[in-house]
Amino acid sequence: MRGMLGAMARNSAPDNPLAPVTVAVGQEDLLLDRAVQEVVAAARAADADTDVRDLTSDQLQPGTLAELTSPSLFAERKVVVVRGAQDLSADTVKDVKAYLGAPAEEITLVLLHAGGAKGKGLLDAARKAGAREVACPKMTKPADRLAFVRSEFRALGRSATPEACQALVDSIGSDLRELASAVTQLAADVEGTIDEAVVGRYYTGRAEASSFTVADRAVEGRAAEALEALRWSLSTGVAPVMITSALAQGVRAIGKLSSARGGRPADLARELGMPPWKIDRVRQQMRGWTPDGVSVALRAVAEADAGVKGGGDDAEYALEKAVVAIARAARARRG
């Protein structure tokens, strides 16, 4: 076992996403997803047929890890992702700790851990075993989000003025996915240095984007954030009908993907008529959904649509009611 641990430590350099075990630590969803995507991309670059298993903590039961990591006749490369590792049961933690001592060939284990006191024993064991660690801290301070925007532009090889970076944070807010998407769009569309005037043209009063922010937060089950985004959108003049449209699209995407057969994002994108990036995003959003939840949410959207188009006296109340119903439906599987 000592030799295996030594090999694990040698293969766990920060620049080696194919280390036997990666631990992504923190609560920033975008960074956690990127940590997973980096490992999966590296694995598929080494073997295009890599099998990826993405599990929540309640799906990894005692004995499950042993089944997933048992030797295969075809010696296929595999990535096993465990989300919410801090919530694993005591018996499953024992399984994972045992595995850390003797990781399997051609298998990469990715543990996503919130980083707090809960489940700290597992995190400590992974670190002691030499696991590769990726920091994914929650960016709660405006200065952190500003630094993130700057780093995104740098990563794309683009130059943006400090005023442009600040304007982007001011326009979009705290959602890192929205910020990253905005940086990517600006880098693709704008030549030369990106300045404050460009950001203003793209993102000041962006009605469509703010409508989809409401929808994204609702289908993720984040009712308070969805309601906050809804009120901001309405206060800045976004038409209620745009918000009901975004809510409908968000719920329908959940329904489409939940009923589709499994497959790679590119295959599902062709089948469902969505871009691959949206397949990945909807997969993250649909974890708490049930078929009944989708039906309930679609009815809520229909009622809101009727209210917005004249069937009710208060469009804002109709939208708030729909947002709460969708967020509740999104958490049905989680109780």
Side-chain angles (χ1 to χ4, degrees):
M1 182 178 294
R2 183 177 302 168
M4 180 66 74
L5 289 176
M8 183 170 167
R10 286 194 300 274
N11 291 330
S12 299
D15 60 349
N16 181 16
L18 290 182
V21 180
T22 287
V23 184
V25 184
Q27 299 180 44
E28 187 56 68
D29 289 342
L30 173 65
L31 300 183
L32 290 167
D33 287 344
R34 283 185 174 181
V36 173
Q37 290 162 9
E38 181 186 22
V39 172
V40 171
R44 286 186 168 153
D47 181 354
D49 294 324
T50 293
D51 181 20
V52 179
R53 303 297 179 91
D54 196 325
L55 308 173
T56 58
S57 57
D58 59 335
Q59 290 174 319
L60 194 72
Q61 297 296 319
T64 303
L65 185 61
E67 294 175 10
L68 292 174
T69 58
S70 59
S72 167
L73 290 175
F74 304 101
E76 64 181 352
R77 182 176 290 277
K78 187 179 293 185
V79 175
V80 179
V81 180
V82 180
R83 298 179 184 271
Q86 72 279 355
D87 296 323
L88 291 172
S89 69
D91 287 339
T92 304
V93 167
K94 290 179 184 177
D95 286 354
V96 177
K97 286 182 177 180
Y99 178 82
L100 293 173
E105 291 285 339
E106 300 296 314
I107 292 178
T108 301
L109 176 64
V110 185
L111 301 174
L112 274 56
H113 193 291
K118 187 176 183 181
K120 189 172 183 296
L122 176 58
L123 183 56
D124 290 343
R127 287 168 170 163
K128 185 176 180 180
R132 168 179 176 262
E133 185 167 341
V134 180
C136 304
K138 194 75 175 174
M139 296 192 182
T140 57
K141 299 178 181 178
D144 292 337
R145 295 192 287 273
L146 185 59
F148 171 78
V149 167
R150 289 171 177 161
S151 69
E152 290 290 288
F153 278 120
R154 282 197 301 270
L156 293 172
R158 297 304 306 276
S159 175
T161 66
E163 293 79 11
C165 294
Q166 186 63 60
L168 202 56
V169 172
D170 291 343
S171 296
I172 292 178
S174 61
D175 191 296
L176 246 58
R177 291 186 191 278
E178 293 284 339
L179 286 168
S181 176
V183 170
T184 300
Q185 181 178 18
L186 288 168
D189 291 357
V190 180
E191 295 183 0
T193 299
I194 296 162
D195 60 20
E196 186 176 8
V198 170
V199 174
R201 287 199 303 273
Y202 269 72
Y203 294 104
T204 298
R206 18 170 238 139
E208 182 180 8
S210 63
S211 298
F212 283 105
T213 298
V214 177
D216 283 340
R217 298 298 85 79
V219 300
E220 289 163 4
R222 295 153 67 176
E225 293 175 44
L227 288 170
E228 181 182 357
L230 170 63
R231 288 159 191 156
W232 182 88
S233 296
L234 293 173
S235 72
T236 57
V238 177
V241 69
M242 292 189 68
I243 298 174
T244 54
S245 175
L247 290 170
Q249 288 184 51
V251 176
R252 286 178 188 138
I254 297 287
K256 282 183 180 180
L257 193 54
S258 63
S259 62
R261 61 180 182 273
R264 296 181 181 179
D267 298 330
L268 287 169
R270 286 191 294 271
E271 179 184 343
L272 301 178
M274 299 180 191
W277 66 264
K278 188 168 185 179
I279 297 291
D280 289 333
R281 185 166 191 166
V282 175
R283 271 180 167 164
Q284 299 300 322
Q285 293 174 332
M286 63 186 282
R287 290 187 196 130
W289 285 87
T290 64
D292 287 344
V294 172
S295 298
V296 168
L298 286 173
R299 285 197 297 273
V301 172
E303 290 173 5
D305 190 53
V308 163
K309 292 177 178 176
D313 296 328
D314 190 335
E316 182 174 351
Y317 173 72
L319 287 168
E320 288 182 353
K321 185 178 177 182
V323 163
V324 171
I326 292 167
R328 186 176 294 126
R331 301 185 65 84
R333 196 184 300 277
R334 288 171 278 183

